[in-house]
Amino acid sequence: MVAPTLLPIGRTGCLRAVSATTTTTTSTALRISNSLIPTTQRRTIATSVPLQYRQRKVPDSNIPIPSVSGKTYVPGLEIPPYPYGKRQVYHQSNTGLYGTACIRFGNKVSAKNEIKTRRKWRPNVHHKRLFSQSLNTMVRTRVTMRVLRTIDKCGGLDEYLLGNKTGRIKELGPWGWMLRWRIMQSPAVQERFAAERAALGLEPLGEGQATAQMMDDLKAIGAVEEGVTAAEVIAETDNMLAQDHVFGIGEDSEGNGEKIIELEDEKVVDGLMQEEKVPRKI
């Protein structure tokens, strides 16, 4: 008589006595059955790394193309903040040229029973390399097809980024604003701006010359006292704009804040004509 053998059966590992003649067949079946049992693996917490474009080095320049986070990697060189701030609805659009595109939501309606199922439409986004004439290199970026058509109509990436209308600045987003700042530091764009000023009959501006000219004009009309710096004036102006203050352009002799212009027979107050009362003759 052959002694029985204890073998684990199933996923619980229970032992069962079997004869030696069936040991080989049973072990083969167990190997096959255990290979078919699904094993659950523990998933680690996914920490996605922020998108960082690997940009090429700009030829003949020590200022690289800034990263998505806004770093220039040059000591003392900072990018001006985006005037409209980061987008709070579609965060992915802060790292590319998305224009005004965002995720749209709607319903998928069946033709037979008209059952509505929620769905969403994502923007048509692609990774592209766009050539910048001012930087003379390729720029890697995410871009939607709508913005790509707009770039073709404008005549290139530089012309699209240098648009000065309010709608274009809002379309750029934080990443487009950084690229705009970078191409404005290039010698080609600075020469272009200097030629435009010369065509308008304006003197070329040096570093800090525009701020100095503004302070001289404000001191000449008595709007700024001596000893006040340009940074203080700009900070006060930004504070007034944030609080929606109304700027007055002049005062009358009585000091009530109204700008009065005396004409021949009429009086103009704040740009509006006011009729003088004439005593009625009886």
Side-chain angles (χ1 to χ4, degrees), residues 17 19 32 43-44 51 63 65 99-100 126 137 140 147-148 150 168 190 194 219-220 222 243 264 266 269 273 282:
S19 59
I32 297 175
R43 296 181 56 186
T44 57
L51 177 64
I63 305 176
I65 300 175
T100 58
H126 297 270
T137 185
R140 294 178 180 270
V147 174
L148 194 60
T150 306
R168 178 60 54 79
Q190 292 181 359
K219 291 178 181 179
Q243 298 178 3
E264 295 180 355
E266 299 172 340
V269 179
M273 287 187 177
I282 300 177

Side-chain angles (χ1 to χ4, degrees), residues 5 24 50 71 78 83 86 100 114 121 183 200 244-245 268:
T5 306
T24 306
K71 297 180 180 180
E78 297 182 358
K86 291 187 177 180
T100 58
E114 297 184 359
W121 293 268
I183 66 175
L200 296 174
D244 294 335
H245 281 207
V268 178

Side-chain angles (χ1 to χ4, degrees), residues 3-25:
T5 306
L6 298 179
L7 294 176
I9 301 299
R11 302 170 67 178
T12 59
C14 298
L15 299 180
R16 189 178 67 179
V18 295
S19 59
T21 55
T22 59
T23 301
T24 306
T25 307

Side-chain angles (χ1 to χ4, degrees), residues 100-120:
T100 58
C102 60
I103 300 177
R104 296 183 300 168
F105 298 89
N107 296 323
K108 180 180 179 182
V109 184
S110 62
K112 184 177 180 180
N113 299 322
E114 297 184 359
I115 299 176
K116 295 183 179 180
T117 305
R118 295 294 294 175
R119 62 157 299 179
K120 56 186 177 183

Side-chain angles (χ1 to χ4, degrees), residues 173-189:
W175 171 241
W177 176 263
M178 298 175 192
L179 293 180
R180 173 189 172 94
W181 171 86
R182 179 58 190 91
I183 66 175
M184 291 179 69
Q185 310 305 315
S186 61
V189 176

